[in-house]
Amino acid sequence: MEGKEEDVRLGANKYGEKQGLGTVAQDRDYKEPPPAPLFEPGELTSWSFYRAGIAEFIATFLFLYISILTVMGYSRADNKCQTVGIQGIAWAFGGMIFALVYCTAGISGGHINPAVTLGLFLARKLSLTRAVFYMIMQCLGAICGAGVVKGFQPTPYQAGGGGSNYVHHGYTKGDGLGAEIVGTFVLVYTVFSATDAKRSARDSHVPILAPLPIGFAVFLVHLATIPITGTGINPARSLGTAIIYNKHLNNWNDHWIFWVGPFIGAALAALYHTVVIRAIPFKSK
């Protein structure tokens, strides 16, 4: 009996209520994963490398196919109140990212976006070899996805603008660039936070499905920036629709915004997470 009382006393001291929520797991052992090599030629002989690239191609293809079809359904309707509306378009983009990241995260990481790939590369989460390969496959997937939509609905596709990105009337190019920078920052920052291995070790008692906050971030950014640029935050998505639509002059005049903006936003998110949140460059080795 005395031994049981001692166990209770020790347990109460170890897990007292004074300890803040979420701090119990902070003592878990955690080892910082090593940075990915800049060049990794050995990847080029690995099937898993090409399998990951194929997964990025298919995921981006499906992303463009579903999301652009949703935009076409909205654009061709005479009565916008009978369509999904802007909120539905935002849900289509966010929901597809949620589903596709869930499906491909274990194969390629589920980037589906050159800006996400750039951010993770700058944080040394993957090699330059893999980053370039992913970006190429993402762009090809986006072109094919938009091409299939045009093939199914050629007339509505051309009449509805093809879901292409450009700075809308009433906004300046600076407005569009700012929207793309901040929107991509929100997305890539969410990616870093949702996939942080240290967070998984520290907060293992708080379950989180990484694709969910990532998809929700895409949804929220679309709600905010569809009226400004149609929401790019994904250079592959903007490139695919611009190439397949290729009709509106603004598609190409403004196209640089949908590469420069997302890449700046991704770089800032990588810098913020790595230097400020995680302070990795300042940790003693």
Side-chain angles (χ1 to χ4, degrees), residues 129-157:
T129 313
R130 187 173 291 264
V132 171
F133 183 49
Y134 277 13
M135 290 182 185
I136 293 173
M137 297 301 283
Q138 290 157 359
C139 290
L140 291 176
I143 293 169
C144 292
V148 170
V149 174
K150 182 179 180 180
F152 285 170
Q153 301 184 14
T155 302
Y157 185 88

Short mmCIF file of all heavy atoms in Angstrom, two decimals, residues 129-157:
data_model
loop_
_atom_site.label_atom_id
_atom_site.label_comp_id
_atom_site.label_asym_id
_atom_site.label_seq_id
_atom_site.Cartn_x
_atom_site.Cartn_y
_atom_site.Cartn_z
N THR A 129 18.33 18.51 -58.06
CA THR A 129 17.94 17.56 -59.10
C THR A 129 16.46 17.24 -59.04
O THR A 129 15.74 17.30 -60.04
CB THR A 129 18.74 16.24 -58.94
OG1 THR A 129 20.12 16.54 -58.76
CG2 THR A 129 18.56 15.35 -60.15
N ARG A 130 16.00 16.91 -57.85
CA ARG A 130 14.59 16.55 -57.67
C ARG A 130 13.69 17.78 -57.84
O ARG A 130 12.59 17.67 -58.40
CB ARG A 130 14.38 15.93 -56.29
CG ARG A 130 12.99 15.38 -56.04
CD ARG A 130 12.93 14.65 -54.72
NE ARG A 130 13.69 13.42 -54.72
CZ ARG A 130 13.18 12.22 -54.96
NH1 ARG A 130 11.88 12.10 -55.21
NH2 ARG A 130 13.93 11.16 -54.93
N ALA A 131 14.13 18.94 -57.36
CA ALA A 131 13.32 20.16 -57.46
C ALA A 131 13.06 20.52 -58.92
O ALA A 131 11.92 20.82 -59.30
CB ALA A 131 14.01 21.31 -56.74
N VAL A 132 14.10 20.49 -59.75
CA VAL A 132 13.94 20.82 -61.16
C VAL A 132 13.03 19.80 -61.85
O VAL A 132 12.14 20.16 -62.64
CB VAL A 132 15.31 20.89 -61.86
CG1 VAL A 132 15.15 21.03 -63.37
CG2 VAL A 132 16.13 22.05 -61.31
N PHE A 133 13.23 18.53 -61.54
CA PHE A 133 12.41 17.47 -62.14
C PHE A 133 10.94 17.64 -61.75
O PHE A 133 10.04 17.52 -62.60
CB PHE A 133 12.93 16.11 -61.69
CG PHE A 133 12.21 14.94 -62.30
CD1 PHE A 133 11.99 14.87 -63.67
CD2 PHE A 133 11.74 13.90 -61.50
CE1 PHE A 133 11.33 13.78 -64.24
CE2 PHE A 133 11.07 12.82 -62.06
CZ PHE A 133 10.87 12.77 -63.42
N TYR A 134 10.69 17.93 -60.49
CA TYR A 134 9.31 18.15 -60.04
C TYR A 134 8.67 19.31 -60.79
O TYR A 134 7.51 19.23 -61.23
CB TYR A 134 9.29 18.44 -58.54
CG TYR A 134 9.33 17.22 -57.64
CD1 TYR A 134 9.64 15.96 -58.14
CD2 TYR A 134 9.04 17.34 -56.29
CE1 TYR A 134 9.68 14.86 -57.29
CE2 TYR A 134 9.07 16.23 -55.44
CZ TYR A 134 9.39 15.00 -55.95
OH TYR A 134 9.43 13.92 -55.13
N MET A 135 9.39 20.42 -60.92
CA MET A 135 8.82 21.60 -61.57
C MET A 135 8.46 21.31 -63.02
O MET A 135 7.41 21.74 -63.51
CB MET A 135 9.80 22.77 -61.48
CG MET A 135 9.97 23.34 -60.09
SD MET A 135 11.10 24.76 -60.09
CE MET A 135 11.22 25.10 -58.34
N ILE A 136 9.33 20.58 -63.70
CA ILE A 136 9.04 20.22 -65.10
C ILE A 136 7.79 19.36 -65.19
O ILE A 136 6.90 19.61 -66.01
CB ILE A 136 10.25 19.50 -65.72
CG1 ILE A 136 11.44 20.45 -65.85
CG2 ILE A 136 9.88 18.92 -67.09
CD1 ILE A 136 12.73 19.79 -66.29
N MET A 137 7.70 18.36 -64.34
CA MET A 137 6.55 17.46 -64.37
C MET A 137 5.26 18.17 -63.96
O MET A 137 4.19 17.91 -64.51
CB MET A 137 6.80 16.26 -63.45
CG MET A 137 7.97 15.39 -63.89
SD MET A 137 7.79 14.72 -65.55
CE MET A 137 6.61 13.39 -65.26
N GLN A 138 5.36 19.11 -63.02
CA GLN A 138 4.19 19.88 -62.62
C GLN A 138 3.68 20.74 -63.77
O GLN A 138 2.46 20.81 -64.01
CB GLN A 138 4.53 20.75 -61.41
CG GLN A 138 4.76 19.97 -60.12
CD GLN A 138 5.60 20.73 -59.12
OE1 GLN A 138 6.06 21.85 -59.38
NE2 GLN A 138 5.84 20.13 -57.97
N CYS A 139 4.58 21.38 -64.47
CA CYS A 139 4.17 22.23 -65.60
C CYS A 139 3.56 21.41 -66.73
O CYS A 139 2.54 21.80 -67.31
CB CYS A 139 5.37 23.03 -66.12
SG CYS A 139 5.94 24.33 -64.98
N LEU A 140 4.15 20.25 -67.01
CA LEU A 140 3.60 19.38 -68.05
C LEU A 140 2.22 18.87 -67.65
O LEU A 140 1.29 18.81 -68.47
CB LEU A 140 4.54 18.20 -68.30
CG LEU A 140 5.89 18.53 -68.97
CD1 LEU A 140 6.75 17.28 -69.07
CD2 LEU A 140 5.66 19.13 -70.35
N GLY A 141 2.06 18.50 -66.38
CA GLY A 141 0.76 18.05 -65.90
C GLY A 141 -0.30 19.13 -66.01
O GLY A 141 -1.44 18.86 -66.38
N ALA A 142 0.08 20.36 -65.69
CA ALA A 142 -0.87 21.47 -65.76
C ALA A 142 -1.29 21.75 -67.20
O ALA A 142 -2.47 21.99 -67.48
CB ALA A 142 -0.25 22.73 -65.14
N ILE A 143 -0.34 21.70 -68.11
CA ILE A 143 -0.65 21.92 -69.53
C ILE A 143 -1.61 20.84 -70.04
O ILE A 143 -2.61 21.13 -70.71
CB ILE A 143 0.64 21.94 -70.37
CG1 ILE A 143 1.48 23.16 -70.00
CG2 ILE A 143 0.33 21.95 -71.86
CD1 ILE A 143 2.89 23.14 -70.57
N CYS A 144 -1.33 19.60 -69.68
CA CYS A 144 -2.20 18.50 -70.12
C CYS A 144 -3.59 18.59 -69.49
O CYS A 144 -4.60 18.33 -70.15
CB CYS A 144 -1.54 17.16 -69.78
SG CYS A 144 -0.05 16.80 -70.72
N GLY A 145 -3.66 18.95 -68.22
CA GLY A 145 -4.94 19.07 -67.54
C GLY A 145 -5.82 20.13 -68.17
O GLY A 145 -7.01 19.91 -68.45
N ALA A 146 -5.23 21.31 -68.44
CA ALA A 146 -6.00 22.38 -69.09
C ALA A 146 -6.34 21.99 -70.52
O ALA A 146 -7.42 22.32 -71.03
CB ALA A 146 -5.19 23.68 -69.07
N GLY A 147 -5.44 21.25 -71.17
CA GLY A 147 -5.70 20.81 -72.55
C GLY A 147 -6.87 19.86 -72.65
O GLY A 147 -7.67 19.94 -73.58
N VAL A 148 -7.00 18.97 -71.69
CA VAL A 148 -8.13 18.03 -71.68
C VAL A 148 -9.44 18.78 -71.47
O VAL A 148 -10.46 18.47 -72.11
CB VAL A 148 -7.92 16.94 -70.62
CG1 VAL A 148 -9.19 16.10 -70.45
CG2 VAL A 148 -6.76 16.04 -71.00
N VAL A 149 -9.45 19.76 -70.58
CA VAL A 149 -10.66 20.56 -70.38
C VAL A 149 -11.06 21.26 -71.67
O VAL A 149 -12.24 21.25 -72.07
CB VAL A 149 -10.45 21.60 -69.26
CG1 VAL A 149 -11.66 22.52 -69.15
CG2 VAL A 149 -10.19 20.92 -67.93
N LYS A 150 -10.09 21.83 -72.37
CA LYS A 150 -10.38 22.50 -73.64
C LYS A 150 -10.88 21.50 -74.67
O LYS A 150 -11.78 21.80 -75.47
CB LYS A 150 -9.13 23.22 -74.15
CG LYS A 150 -9.37 23.98 -75.45
CD LYS A 150 -8.11 24.70 -75.90
CE LYS A 150 -8.36 25.46 -77.20
NZ LYS A 150 -7.14 26.18 -77.66
N GLY A 151 -10.30 20.28 -74.66
CA GLY A 151 -10.75 19.26 -75.59
C GLY A 151 -12.18 18.84 -75.36
O GLY A 151 -12.93 18.57 -76.30
N PHE A 152 -12.60 18.78 -74.10
CA PHE A 152 -13.98 18.40 -73.77
C PHE A 152 -14.96 19.53 -74.04
O PHE A 152 -16.09 19.29 -74.46
CB PHE A 152 -14.07 18.00 -72.29
CG PHE A 152 -13.51 16.65 -71.99
CD1 PHE A 152 -13.34 16.23 -70.68
CD2 PHE A 152 -13.14 15.78 -73.01
CE1 PHE A 152 -12.83 14.97 -70.38
CE2 PHE A 152 -12.62 14.52 -72.73
CZ PHE A 152 -12.47 14.12 -71.41
N GLN A 153 -14.55 20.77 -73.76
CA GLN A 153 -15.45 21.92 -73.87
C GLN A 153 -14.76 23.06 -74.62
O GLN A 153 -14.45 24.10 -74.03
CB GLN A 153 -15.89 22.40 -72.49
CG GLN A 153 -16.60 21.36 -71.65
CD GLN A 153 -17.09 21.94 -70.32
OE1 GLN A 153 -17.12 23.15 -70.13
NE2 GLN A 153 -17.48 21.07 -69.41
N PRO A 154 -14.48 22.89 -75.90
CA PRO A 154 -13.69 23.91 -76.62
C PRO A 154 -14.34 25.29 -76.66
O PRO A 154 -13.69 26.30 -76.42
CB PRO A 154 -13.55 23.31 -78.03
CG PRO A 154 -14.65 22.31 -78.13
CD PRO A 154 -14.84 21.77 -76.75
N THR A 155 -15.66 25.33 -76.94
CA THR A 155 -16.33 26.64 -77.05
C THR A 155 -16.47 27.32 -75.70
O THR A 155 -16.09 28.50 -75.55
CB THR A 155 -17.71 26.48 -77.72
OG1 THR A 155 -17.54 25.88 -79.01
CG2 THR A 155 -18.39 27.84 -77.86
N PRO A 156 -17.02 26.64 -74.67
CA PRO A 156 -17.09 27.28 -73.35
C PRO A 156 -15.71 27.64 -72.80
O PRO A 156 -15.57 28.66 -72.10
CB PRO A 156 -17.76 26.22 -72.48
CG PRO A 156 -18.51 25.36 -73.42
CD PRO A 156 -17.68 25.33 -74.67
N TYR A 157 -14.69 26.83 -73.13
CA TYR A 157 -13.35 27.11 -72.62
C TYR A 157 -12.84 28.44 -73.15
O TYR A 157 -12.34 29.27 -72.41
CB TYR A 157 -12.41 25.98 -73.02
CG TYR A 157 -11.01 26.13 -72.44
CD1 TYR A 157 -10.71 25.62 -71.18
CD2 TYR A 157 -10.01 26.79 -73.13
CE1 TYR A 157 -9.45 25.76 -70.63
CE2 TYR A 157 -8.74 26.93 -72.60
CZ TYR A 157 -8.47 26.42 -71.36
OH TYR A 157 -7.22 26.57 -70.81
#
